Amino acid sequence: MSLFGTSSSFGTGGTGVFGSTTTDSHNPMKDVEVTSPPDDSISCLAFSPPSLPGNFLIGGSWANDVRCWEVQDNGQTVPKAQQMHTGPVLDVCWSDDGSKVFTASCDKTAKMWDLNSNQAMQIAQHDGPIRTIHWIKAPNYSCVMTGSWDKTLKFWDTRSPNPMMSLQMPERCYCADVVYPMAVVATAERGLIVYQLENQPSEFRRIDSPLKHQHRCVAIFKDKQNKPTGFALGSIEGRVAIHYINPPNPAKDNFTFKCHRSNGTNTTTPQDIYAVNAIAFHPVHGTLATVGSDGRFSFWDKDARTKLKTSEQLDQPITACCFNHNGNIFAYSSSYDWSKVERKGPALEPRPPPQASHGAVHAGAGTGCRFQAWSRPICVI
Amino acid sequence: MAEGDVEWELSKENIQPLRRGRDISALHQALSLQQEASNSTVCQHRQAFEAELRVNDGEDPLDVWDRYIKWTVQTFPQGGKESNISVLLERAITRFAEEKKYYNDSRYLDIWLKFAEHCPDPLDIFRYMQSKGIGVLLSAFYIAWSEEYERMGNYKKADCMYQEGFKCGAEPREKLMQFHRSLQARVSRHVMSAIADQDSSEEDDAMEIEEPQRITLGELKTRGKKKAVAPINRTGNRVIKNPRGLQMNAPLGPVQNSCLMVFDENKASFVPQEPKPESWMALPSSRAKENEQRPDKWTNIKMPQKSRFGQVIRAPPSRPNFQPFVEECDLPPTMTPCKINPSVNLVLSARKLCREETPLKRLQSHQQQQRDEGRAPEQSMYCKELLFSGATEFCFEELRAERFRQKYRNREGSDS
C-alpha cells in the first residue's frame, strides 16, 4: 500500500514488477529498492539524526514533493508521509532533535515540516529559488541557513518572517555544507566562501577554487577530534578537491583526484568525463562517497589517498546520496540529472528520455555499511 | 520627477553617452537602484535573460542577445565591470561569428560597433569586419569607421570611407549622403581654421600679449637622484603664442627630429601606411585591460642574493607597535607573513608568461577546439554549450528549473 497517492501503479506494493524482469544495469548492486519512490528525479536525500530512534529517510524530488520513509532493520522501507511544494524541491535537512524537516524549493520558499503533526509551514522567502538549506545548532542560537540563486545567504529563526541575518554573496549559491562552527558555500563562477558560525555567522575566508570547473557539490569533513577541518569539493568535470582550512603544509595536504571517468587506462579512445553530483562522508570512518552522472558511486579514503570501491554502472545517473547517523546504511538515488540536454526546436529536451527514476539504499561489505534498499518510481519528464 | 532630475545632474560624469540617447526613465531607475545598493531586481532580470538565452531557440536567437545587451546598456549607465558588458558583447559576437545570415543585420552590426568602442584599436576591428563581410551593406558601418578616422584626425581616410560605402551600395543611401555632407562641412571648417591659425601665428611675434600667459607646459623638473630628463617638444597654440619671459626664436612648425611622420592633410604628401589587407585569422584584441603589461626586457632587475643555505632571504614585515587583538576561536585567521619556499613554486608555475588573453586568441582557440572536437583526449559528458552559452554560467538545476518554469507557464496559459 502506498501512502503517497496513486499517481503510478508501479509505485504501490513492494519491489514492483520490475524487480524480476530487470536487467542488471538497473540495480546491478542488488541493493534494496525503496518503495513508493517519487515520480520525478530525486534531488536530495537526508537520513534522520541520532536523536531519533530508528532510521528515517527524507527525499526531495523534482515532482514538487518531499517524502519520508522509515527504513527498518530488516531492510524493508515503509513510506510514512509526504509534503508538497509549488516548485521542485532542491534540498532537505533535519533539525538536530529529529522532530522537524526543512525543505527548500524552486518556488523561492522554504518550509518547516513538523513530522509529529504532519504540518508544514513556510519559514523563509527569497527572491530566487533556494538551493541549499541547513540547520545550525549553536550554543547560543539555532537557525536555518538558506542559500539561494539570488546571491544571498539568509539565516532564519523559524518563528519570524524576517531573516535574522542576510549575507551577500558574490554569485549564486550552488552548494553548501554546515558542520558547526564551520559552513562552506560554493557559488557560481567558481567562488568558494567559508563562514564561521560562532556567536553569529560571519564570513571567514574566501578561497581560490582548487578546481578549474563549475562547482557542483561540497561536504565538510572532521578531524580526529571531531572538529570540522576541511571540505571536499566536487566539480562538473569528474574531479574532487580535498581542501584543509589550516593545514600545516598546504601544498602537500591539499590535493585533487579524478573520479567518475570512463576508459581510465585506455588512452586510444577519448576519456568520458562525468559530473560529480554529490559527496558524503561516513560519520564514523571518515571515508567519503562520491556519486556521479556516470551512474556509479565510489568510496574513497582521503587520508590514504586510495579508492576503496566503485560500484557497477547503473543505467541512470546517481543524483544524491547520504549515510545514516551511524554509517550502517548508504542511500543513493538513481534518476535523471539533466546533465545531457539537447535543444530540440524551441524547447529543451533531455537526451535520451528516461524510463524510470529510482531511489536506492545500499550497503556494501567492506566499508562498514550494512544495508541495501531500492526504489523504483516511473518518471516522465 | 524632480528628484530624478537631481540624481541625473549629480551623476552626469558617470553616465556613458549613448549614440541614440538614453531612455530617461530607465536612467532614473538605474541611478536610484544604485543609490539604494539593492540589486535584487537587476539580478533577477539578468537571470531571466540568461535563462531565455538558453531555452529560447526559435527562429531568431539574435533577438534575445540584442535585447539582453540593450537592457544591460540602459541599466548600467557607467558601463563598468558590474555590467559584464564586454563579456556579453564578446560572447554575442563569437556566437554568431559563423552565421552569415546575420552579417548584414543591423542589430548584429550594432553589437559589433559597441564591441569596437570597447577596444583599444577600433580600426583593427573595422578592417576585420570588412574582410569578413560583416556590415558591408549597411551605412552605419561606414559612418562609424569614418568617424573613427575623423577622431584620429585623418580626414582623407574618413572621406574615403564614404566613397567606399557608396561603391558597395550601402543602405540606406540617404543617410550615408547626409553624414558625408556633414563630414565635408566639418573638414572644410577645420581647414579654414587651420589656415587662419597659420596666418595669425606669423603675426604673433610682433603682437603684444594682453595677459600674462601662465607657463602651463613648463619643463619637467627631475626628482631625486635620477638626472635623466625626457626631451620635450611642445607644439600647439600655447607655446606658439610665445609666453612672456620665454623667447623662442622661431615658431615651432612641424617637428623635425621626431621619428613619427605627422600627417598634415594640407600637404597631403604623406599618407600613413595602411596595413595591407591580409586574411584575418581571428579577431583583434578588444579588452583594454589596464594592468596587463606587455612582456618586455627586464632591465635593472637584480635577483636577491641567495644565502649559504640556499634560502632566499626576505626581510620580515615590520611588526605593528600595538598588540593586535586575537580572538580565540576554532579557526584562527592566519596572519603570519608568507615565506615563499623556492621548492614550492605553485604561485609562479601556475602563470604562463606571454599568454595574453585577448579575444583574438580566444576566438582562434574556440575555432581550433571546434575542429579538434573529434580528436580530444577527454570528452565532457554534459551539455557544455548550454551551460556556458550566456555571459554567465548556469548549472544543471538552473537549466532544469527554467524548463519547469516554461512548462508551468504553458500550462497556465492553456488553462486560462
Side-chain angles (χ1 to χ4, degrees):
Chain A
M1 59 113 181
S2 168
L3 283 166
F4 290 147
T6 49
S7 44
S8 67
S9 55
F10 293 109
T12 58
T15 43
V17 174
F18 282 96
S20 48
T21 57
T22 182
T23 58
D24 273 338
S25 67
H26 161 60
N27 183 3
M29 304 302 291
K30 304 280 186 284
D31 295 327
V32 177
E33 274 196 54
V34 170
T35 56
S36 302
D39 296 326
D40 205 334
S41 297
I42 297 153
S43 58
C44 47
L45 290 173
F47 263 111
S48 52
S51 43
L52 210 57
N55 291 304
F56 291 85
L57 178 65
I58 295 278
S61 83
W62 283 84
N64 304 2
D65 63 0
V66 192
R67 301 190 178 198
C68 176
W69 298 268
E70 179 184 1
V71 180
Q72 290 163 342
D73 293 336
N74 59 357
Q76 288 306 310
T77 56
V78 179
K80 282 287 185 191
Q82 171 182 351
Q83 282 291 333
M84 300 294 294
H85 267 270
T86 48
V89 175
L90 294 182
D91 201 11
V92 290
C93 74
W94 288 81
S95 64
D96 61 305
D97 59 350
S99 62
K100 316 255 188 314
V101 169
F102 300 98
T103 60
S105 161
C106 276
D107 62 6
K108 309 178 190 174
T109 66
K111 290 194 178 167
M112 175 169 77
W113 179 12
D114 185 334
L115 294 168
N116 296 327
S117 61
N118 201 13
Q119 296 290 321
M121 67 175 225
Q122 181 179 337
I123 52 154
Q125 178 75 46
H126 270 266
D127 295 322
I130 304 180
R131 179 70 183 89
T132 65
I133 191 162
H134 291 88
W135 172 251
I136 300 176
K137 179 94 176 97
N140 56 334
Y141 71 95
S142 47
C143 66
V144 175
M145 178 179 98
T146 53
S148 160
W149 287 341
D150 67 355
K151 305 186 188 177
T152 60
L153 195 65
K154 293 193 178 173
F155 299 83
W156 307 84
D157 175 347
T158 56
R159 296 161 294 203
S160 155
N162 294 321
M164 283 166 39
M165 178 184 264
S166 174
L167 295 175
Q168 189 69 28
M169 293 189 293
E171 259 290 351
R172 298 152 281 166
C173 169
Y174 276 178
C175 51
D177 196 14
V178 169
V179 173
Y180 185 81
M182 174 168 139
V184 169
V185 176
T187 69
E189 309 290 340
R190 299 169 52 232
L192 199 50
I193 313 170
V194 178
Y195 295 87
Q196 71 86 22
L197 303 170
E198 266 186 86
N199 291 330
Q200 67 169 19
S202 63
E203 201 178 291
F204 171 69
R205 193 189 292 174
R206 294 202 179 181
I207 300 179
D208 285 333
S209 171
L211 298 172
K212 293 199 197 78
H213 295 278
Q214 188 184 96
H215 297 159
R216 182 122 180 88
C217 49
V218 71
I220 295 177
F221 57 81
K222 300 191 265 202
D223 59 13
K224 304 261 184 330
Q225 286 78 37
N226 229 21
K227 297 247 156 60
T229 183
F231 56 86
L233 180 69
S235 78
I236 50 173
E237 291 233 0
R239 199 176 273 270
V240 170
I242 301 287
H243 191 96
Y244 289 82
I245 299 293
N246 279 326
N249 193 345
K252 290 216 174 90
D253 294 336
N254 297 337
F255 66 97
T256 70
F257 61 91
K258 296 196 242 192
C259 52
H260 299 292
R261 300 183 178 207
S262 65
N263 307 329
T265 48
N266 189 349
T267 47
T268 51
T269 51
Q271 193 182 48
D272 295 332
I273 303 179
Y274 294 88
V276 181
N277 281 331
I279 303 178
F281 277 92
H282 193 284
V284 174
H285 301 300
T287 49
L288 75 121
T290 61
V291 296
S293 300
D294 55 347
R296 290 181 202 263
F297 58 84
S298 304
F299 296 107
W300 313 78
D301 183 338
K302 70 173 197 326
D303 301 315
R305 303 202 186 182
T306 55
K307 186 195 297 198
L308 297 170
K309 170 181 169 150
T310 300
S311 73
E312 296 300 319
Q313 183 163 24
L314 275 72
D315 56 352
Q316 283 189 100
I318 304 183
T319 49
C321 70
C322 70
F323 284 97
N324 75 332
H325 64 89
N326 57 10
N328 284 349
I329 312 178
F330 176 63
Y332 59 97
S333 64
S334 162
S335 47
Y336 206 70
D337 68 353
W338 269 56
S339 54
K340 280 212 193 186
V341 175
E342 189 172 70
R343 286 186 207 232
K344 282 189 190 163
L348 284 178
E349 291 298 331
R351 172 190 27 148
Q355 298 305 314
S357 105
H358 326 277
V361 179
H362 158 88
T367 54
C369 307
R370 226 7 109 218
F371 183 78
Q372 304 196 18
W374 262 109
S375 81
R376 191 187 192 113
I378 295 287
C379 102
V380 176
I381 298 184
Chain B
M1 205 51 177
E3 291 164 11
D5 286 343
V6 169
E7 272 162 17
W8 179 68
E9 287 291 326
L10 290 175
S11 327
K12 256 197 258 194
E13 304 95 38
N14 291 338
I15 303 171
Q16 279 195 359
L18 280 188
R19 219 214 161 91
R20 279 188 201 85
R22 286 191 176 270
D23 180 35
I24 194 70
S25 54
L27 185 61
H28 286 148
Q29 200 175 37
L31 288 175
S32 58
L33 269 183
Q34 270 151 28
Q35 302 212 337
E36 291 163 13
S38 91
N39 57 354
S40 70
T41 35
V42 170
C43 183
Q44 280 175 52
H45 220 137
R46 173 182 276 154
Q47 187 82 347
F49 269 119
E50 289 281 333
E52 205 185 335
L53 272 179
R54 287 162 172 89
V55 173
N56 182 342
D57 197 19
E59 290 292 310
D60 191 15
L62 183 65
D63 177 54
V64 187
W65 285 98
D66 183 53
R67 279 186 286 118
Y68 188 7
I69 290 172
K70 287 204 169 89
W71 170 83
T72 306
V73 160
Q74 293 284 352
T75 314
F76 295 94
Q78 294 96 330
K81 196 168 173 217
E82 225 182 47
S83 65
N84 230 8
I85 185 73
S86 39
V87 171
L88 198 48
L89 290 170
E90 209 181 302
R91 287 271 163 81
I93 284 176
T94 324
R95 164 82 176 81
F96 299 105
E98 304 298 317
E99 306 225 9
K100 294 220 156 33
K101 71 173 179 175
Y102 285 129
Y103 274 11
N104 284 304
D105 189 321
S106 59
R107 296 170 300 173
Y108 191 46
L109 177 67
D110 224 19
I111 297 175
W112 267 101
L113 294 180
K114 280 202 189 74
F115 179 66
E117 278 170 34
H118 281 87
C119 293
D121 191 6
L123 289 177
D124 254 358
I125 306 282
F126 289 122
R127 284 191 276 263
Y128 174 76
M129 285 167 76
Q130 191 182 39
S131 74
K132 280 273 177 169
I134 298 173
V136 287
L137 296 177
L138 297 170
S139 308
F141 174 61
Y142 298 101
I143 291 169
W145 199 348
S146 154
E147 280 177 358
E148 185 55 37
Y149 273 123
E150 198 182 329
R151 221 170 289 149
M152 294 174 46
N154 190 346
Y155 292 103
K156 184 155 189 248
K157 256 319 209 177
D159 192 72
C160 267
M161 286 341 295
Y162 283 104
Q163 306 303 336
E164 186 86 20
F166 287 125
K167 195 170 66 174
C168 291
E171 291 298 320
R173 201 178 167 77
E174 303 74 36
K175 184 171 168 193
L176 202 62
M177 286 170 63
Q178 179 195 351
F179 274 83
H180 189 207
R181 275 196 291 274
S182 52
L183 169 74
Q184 285 174 328
R186 282 197 295 275
V187 169
S188 51
R189 259 204 307 272
H190 178 91
V191 167
M192 296 301 290
S193 62
I195 293 173
D197 275 352
Q198 275 200 350
D199 287 341
S200 65
S201 71
E202 281 159 10
E203 300 165 2
D204 253 359
D205 291 346
M207 244 170 74
E208 272 260 318
I209 297 167
E210 303 89 43
E211 304 154 13
Q213 297 265 348
R214 187 161 66 91
I215 309 174
T216 56
L217 302 177
E219 266 211 4
L220 294 174
K221 290 205 184 66
T222 62
R223 283 185 82 175
K225 297 205 173 102
K226 300 202 177 131
K227 296 273 187 191
V229 180
I232 304 159
N233 274 315
R234 305 275 182 202
T235 60
N237 283 339
R238 276 255 173 247
V239 178
I240 288 178
K241 281 201 159 69
N242 293 339
R244 209 168 253 174
L246 197 70
Q247 292 297 323
M248 298 227 185
N249 293 328
L252 286 174
V255 177
Q256 300 299 329
N257 56 352
S258 78
C259 332
L260 290 175
M261 297 288 274
V262 178
F263 174 66
D264 186 0
E265 90 276 2
N266 292 331
K267 294 189 185 164
S269 58
F270 174 79
V271 177
Q273 287 294 331
E274 282 280 318
K276 292 200 244 318
E278 293 168 359
S279 66
W280 283 82
M281 292 301 292
L283 281 178
S285 73
S286 91
R287 213 73 66 73
K289 276 198 177 154
E290 291 157 358
N291 294 333
E292 252 181 31
Q293 279 184 335
R294 304 245 125 110
D296 57 8
K297 184 171 156 221
W298 283 18
T299 56
N300 300 332
I301 303 281
K302 286 200 165 72
M303 289 298 293
Q305 291 282 336
K306 282 201 175 8
S307 77
R308 283 187 289 155
F309 306 103
Q311 296 281 346
V312 175
I313 296 173
R314 295 201 196 280
S318 60
R319 295 231 165 252
N321 298 338
F322 57 91
Q323 179 72 307
F325 174 65
V326 176
E327 210 177 84
E328 282 191 353
C329 63
D330 286 338
L331 310 168
T334 47
M335 299 261 274
T336 52
C338 172
K339 289 203 188 73
I340 299 178
N341 189 347
S343 65
V344 180
N345 273 347
L346 281 182
V347 173
L348 297 179
S349 61
R351 207 115 170 265
K352 292 192 171 78
L353 267 183
C354 306
R355 254 281 203 102
E356 281 179 45
E357 263 287 290
T358 60
L360 169 99
K361 295 219 164 63
R362 269 195 286 269
L363 191 59
Q364 252 178 343
S365 62
H366 179 77
Q367 286 167 343
Q368 184 73 20
Q369 257 176 33
Q370 283 181 336
R371 269 177 257 134
D372 283 352
E373 203 79 294
R375 292 176 268 148
E378 293 178 344
Q379 256 183 49
S380 310
M381 302 299 285
Y382 60 90
C383 47
K384 214 172 197 172
E385 337 74 53
L386 275 177
L387 287 189
F388 299 108
S389 57
T392 59
E393 64 184 358
F394 256 35
C395 67
F396 305 134
E397 284 79 24
E398 284 173 298
L399 269 182
R400 193 169 182 176
E402 184 52 35
R403 171 80 175 120
F404 172 83
R405 219 198 324 256
Q406 241 196 355
K407 235 198 317 201
Y408 188 72
R409 265 201 305 265
N410 292 342
R411 210 179 301 140
E412 293 278 287
S414 62
D415 284 348
S416 59

